[in-house]
Amino acid sequence: MSEVLMSCFLFNIEDKSYNGGGIGSSTRMMDFLEEPIPGVGTYDDFNTIDWVREKSRDRDRHREITNKSKESTWALIHSVSDAFSGWLLMLLIGLLSGSLAGLIDISAHWMTDLKEGICTEGLWFNHEHCCWDSDQVTFEDKDKCPKWNSWSQLLISTEEGAFAYIVNYFMYVLWALLFAFLAVSLVKVFAPYACGSGIPEIKTILSGFIIRGYLGKWTLIIKTITLVLAVSSGLSLGKEGPLVHVACCCGNILCHCFNKYRKNEAKRREVLSAAAAAGVSVAFGAPIGGVLFSLEEVSYYFPLKTLWRSFFAALVAAFTLRSINPFGNSRLVLFYVEFHTPWHLFELVPFILLGIFGGLWGALFIRTNIAWCRKRKTTQLGKYPVIEVLVVTAITAILAFPNEYTRMSTSELISELFNDCGLLDSSKLCDYENHFNSSKGGDLPDRPAGAGVYSAMWQLALTLILKIVITIFTFGMKIPSGLFIPSMAVGAIAGRLLGVGMEQMAYYHHDWAIFNSWCSQGADCITPGLYAMVGAAACLGKWSDSNDCFLVVIMFELTGGLEYIVPLMAAAMTSKWVADALGREGIYDAHIRLNGYPFLEAKEEFAHKTLAMDVMKPRRNDPLLTVLTQDSMTVEDVETVISETTYSGFPVVVSRESQRLVGFVLRRDLIISIENARKKQDGVVSTSIIYFTEHSPPMPPYTPPTLKLRNILDLSPFTVTDLTPMEIVVDIFRKLGLRQCLVTHNGRLLGIITKKDVLKHIAQMANQDPDSILFN
Amino acid sequence: MATPWAGLLRLGSSLSLSCLALSALLLVRTADAAKNSEDVRCKCICPPYKDIPGHIYNRNISQKDCDCLHVVELMSVREPDIEAYCLRCECKYEERSSVTIKVTIIIYLSILGLLLLYMVYLTLVEPILKRRLFGHSQLIQSDDDVGDHQPFANAHDVLARSRSRANVLNKVEYAQQRWKLQVQEQRKSVFDRHVVLS
C-alpha cells in the first residue's frame, strides 16, 4: 500500500491519467522491497485496456484496505471513506453537470435571440425575459414589447417596411455566420476532439478503448462554449449528445480527485457510465430515461452497483438544474407537456403510420448521413472544415429566415407543436374558428380550421423538407452537434400535420362510421398535440440494434403520465421494425464502423462455424510467433525484438524448443522497465540476461548482473486450444473484455488471437471490409 | 510512514470537496432566497369574450393575490359579464432569478472573450514574436505518427515526467509546450488524417 502511495506522489496529476502502481498479483509480497516503476501498468493512446487486470487490481486494493481496517481506527476511517468516496464522486458529478447544463441553457437562449434583436433594459435578457414584466404585451402578439428592439429598430429606427425586413434578414445571417465561425475556430485551435456528437466515441471508450484527451479539461471547456455558439447559430442540431460528452468529461476530471478511480481504468468506466446517465438526465429532465440510456446505449459492462450510482448522479444533476431554473417556471425542458386528453383506439392506425414514417426517416437518414460522412472523410471536402461549416450555416440561415417556423429555435418549435390549442392560445397554429358558446376554457370540441391553420400547415410542410435535408449535412461537421432534437422536430412536424388532418376530417366527416362510434359531437376527439408527441417518439427510433426502451421512458417522463404509453410504444416499436427491415445498424454503430474503432458489439450472435486456428496469427505462411524466452535472452535481444516489431505484447515461453507457455508481457511495460533499469540499476548493460523466473538462472562468473522482470509478467494469460469454435472465443472476448488470447495445441503455444483479429474476422464473415478496422 | 500523511491528505481533500459541494448547494439556495422583488409576476391571460378583446396582464403581485379580481382591470367589463370573463382567464404565478441570468451570461461572455483573446494570441501574435526572436531559422517540428517509431524515446518521456520541476516558470512553459503538441496531434488525427471523429 505504501509503495502505491509513494508512487502516486512521484508524478503530476494530469488528465491523461497515468495509473501507477504495480500489477496486483501474488508476487507482490516477494517484491515489496522493489518500488513499482512509474508508468508500468498504464496504457498507450488508442489501445484497449485489459479489463481482467484492472478488475483484479481493484479487488486486491479493496482486500488490502479491508484487512488493514482491523488494525487501527485510522485504517477503519480510511476504509469507510474509501467506500463513501464513490457516492461523493457521484454527488459532485451531478452538481457539476447540472450547473454546466444550466449555463449552456441560459446562454443558448440568450444568444439565439441575439440574432433577432436586443433588450435595451438589461442586455442579458432574451426576448421572453425582456417582455416578462412588461405591461404592453397584447393578446394577439404575445411577443411585442417596447423594451425589446429588433436590429432594424436599432439601426434604422423603424420596424415596418421592406427595408427593415432586409436589415433584419441581413443581421440574422451575419450573426449566424459569426457564431458558426467562432465555434469552428475555437474547436480547431484549442480542442479538435470537441467536435461531433461524442456518443460513438464515448461508447468505444466505455468498452475499453483509450483516447487520451477526449475527456479532458480543454475538451470540456471548448465543448461547453462552442455548443452554445453552434446551437445559437440556427443550425439544425441539438445539444443532447454533446451534453452527454460534457457530463462524461466532468466525470473523468472529477475522478482525479479520488485515488480509487484515478488509477483504475475499469472503475473509472463505471463512473463514466453514471456520468452519461447524468448527461441525458439534464438534457431531457428525465433521470430514469438517462439511466436506461446509459444502460442500453453507452455502457459495455453495467454492474448493479453502477445502476444505483447512476440514478443518484442523474437525480442530483436534475435537481441542480432545477434549482438554477433556466426557464423561469421550474421545468427542466422547454417542451413539457401538460394535457391529459384521452386517445381513442382507432387512432392507433395513424400512430402506426407515424411509426412507419419514423422508421423510413431513420433508415434514410443513417444511409445518407454515413455516405456524406464517408465523402467528407475520403475526398477533398474534408480539407476545408471551416468553409464547410460557414457554407452550411449560410444556407441554413438564408433558407430559414423567411419561414417563421424555421426561424425559431428547434426546441421552441417542438414545444409549440406539442401544445394543445386552447382558448388562450393565439398563435397561427391555433387559429381555429370558435363557433360555440361554452364558457369553459379547458377541453374544447373539435373546431374547423381557420386561415391561419392552413398557412401554418404549408409552412410546416416546407419546414419538414428543409429540416430533413439540412440535418443530413449538418450532423458530423466539425462543431459539437447532437441528433435528438432535429429528429424530434421532424417527427413532431409530421405528427402535427397528420393530427390536424385527422382533426379536420373528424369535424367535417363526423358521420363516418369510425368517427361516429368513438367521437360524440361536440367532444374533444382528436388532439393534434398528441400526434406531434407520438411522431417525435417514432422518429427518435433508430439509435442502435437493440430495443430502445429509454426513448419511451423519456417521452413518458416528458409527458408526466402513463396515459400515452401505449401510443408511444406502438409508434416506437413500428418505427424500429421498419428501420430494422431496411438496415441493421443504428446511427452510432454506423459511425463507429465508419471510424474503424475496435468496438466488439456485445449483443450480436456470432453464428459461423469457424475455429480458433482459422483466425489466429501467425497464419500458415507467416513467420513464426515472436516470443521471448524466460531466461535466455539478453537486454539487447529484447530491444531488437521491440524495435523490429510493432506487436503490443509478447508471450513468454520456457524455451524455443519446448514452446511451453509461462506468461504474457506487454510491450509498454517492457520498454519502461528496461529504460528504467538501464538508468537506475547498477551494471545492467546490453549483454545482461533478462529473466522472468523467480530466481536468477545460474550464471558463470564475470558476467554482467541479470535483470529480473517477473513483476511485469502476467502469469495467467488466457488460452484456448486451436480447435475451440470461434463462437466460444468471441463470447470469451466479449464477456471478459480480453485484449488478446493465446492459442495452444497439445499444450504448446501455437499462436495468438487479438481483439483486432476477432473484429476483422467478424467483419469478413459479415462481408464487410475487414481493412476498415484501424485501431488495435 | 507515508500512510498517515497520505491518508490525512486524502481525507482532507475529500472533506474540502464535500465542503465545496455543500457551499455550492447553499449558494444556489440563497440565490433563490435573495430574489429581486421585481422578479415575481402574476400573469393573467384573458381570451376574447363577446365584444371584449383578449388581453394579457402582468403584475408584480404576491402569490396570494394572484387571481382575476386583483390583477385584471375590470373597468371596461360590464357587471353581469365579470364572472364569465374571469372564469375564462387563467392566472399563473411565476418567479425567476434575474441575478442568475445576469451572472451566467457575464461568466459565459468573459470565458468566451478570454478564449478568443488567447486564440488571437496563439494564431497571430506568437508566430510574429517567435520570428522576431529566432530569426528565420525556424525549427520545424517533426511529424511523428501516432505509432511507436521511437519506443525508447517515448519511454524516456514517460520517466522524465516523473521528476518534479523546481522552477515554476519552467513548469508553465513545459506544460504549455506539451499541451500544444497534444493539440497538434489531435488536430492531425481529426482534421488531416480523419482517423477519429470523421
Side-chain angles (χ1 to χ4, degrees), chain B residues 46-47 49 52-53 57 72 77 81-89:
Chain B
C46 294
Y49 175 64
I52 311 164
Y57 301 93
V72 175
V77 186
D81 286 337
I82 282 187
E83 198 179 330
Y85 188 63
C86 267
L87 269 178
R88 287 154 163 256
C89 286

Side-chain angles (χ1 to χ4, degrees), chain A residues 4 50 54 127 149 181 236 351 377 401 455 457 485 499 506 688 698 717 768:
Chain A
V4 170
D50 191 346
E54 300 295 317
H127 195 156
N149 296 336
F181 177 68
S236 173
F351 292 152
K377 204 168 142 118
F401 188 83
S455 87
M457 290 295 114
I485 293 277
S688 304
Q768 290 162 353

Side-chain angles (χ1 to χ4, degrees), chain A residues 351-366:
Chain A
F351 292 152
I352 289 180
L353 278 177
L354 283 175
I356 295 176
F357 172 77
L360 288 174
W361 147 254
L364 168 80
F365 179 77
I366 293 173

Side-chain angles (χ1 to χ4, degrees), chain B residues 111-130:
Chain B
I111 297 179
L112 181 65
L114 284 172
L115 282 174
L116 285 178
L117 282 174
Y118 194 34
M119 180 169 81
V120 166
Y121 168 73
L122 279 181
T123 47
L124 297 176
V125 177
E126 211 177 19
I128 297 178
L129 280 178
K130 274 219 175 91

Side-chain angles (χ1 to χ4, degrees), chain A residues 408-433:
Chain A
M408 61 168 86
S409 78
T410 324
S411 314
E412 268 181 57
L413 173 66
I414 296 179
S415 82
E416 193 162 320
L417 290 171
F418 280 4
N419 182 32
D420 190 22
C421 286
L423 277 178
L424 304 168
D425 297 299
S426 58
S427 61
K428 200 153 63 162
L429 200 54
C430 289
D431 182 23
Y432 289 93
E433 296 166 20

Side-chain angles (χ1 to χ4, degrees), chain A residues 610-622:
Chain A
T610 44
L611 300 174
M613 64 180 178
D614 301 325
V615 181
M616 74 175 187
K617 295 273 167 66
R619 305 228 51 87
R620 214 164 288 264
N621 299 325
D622 287 342

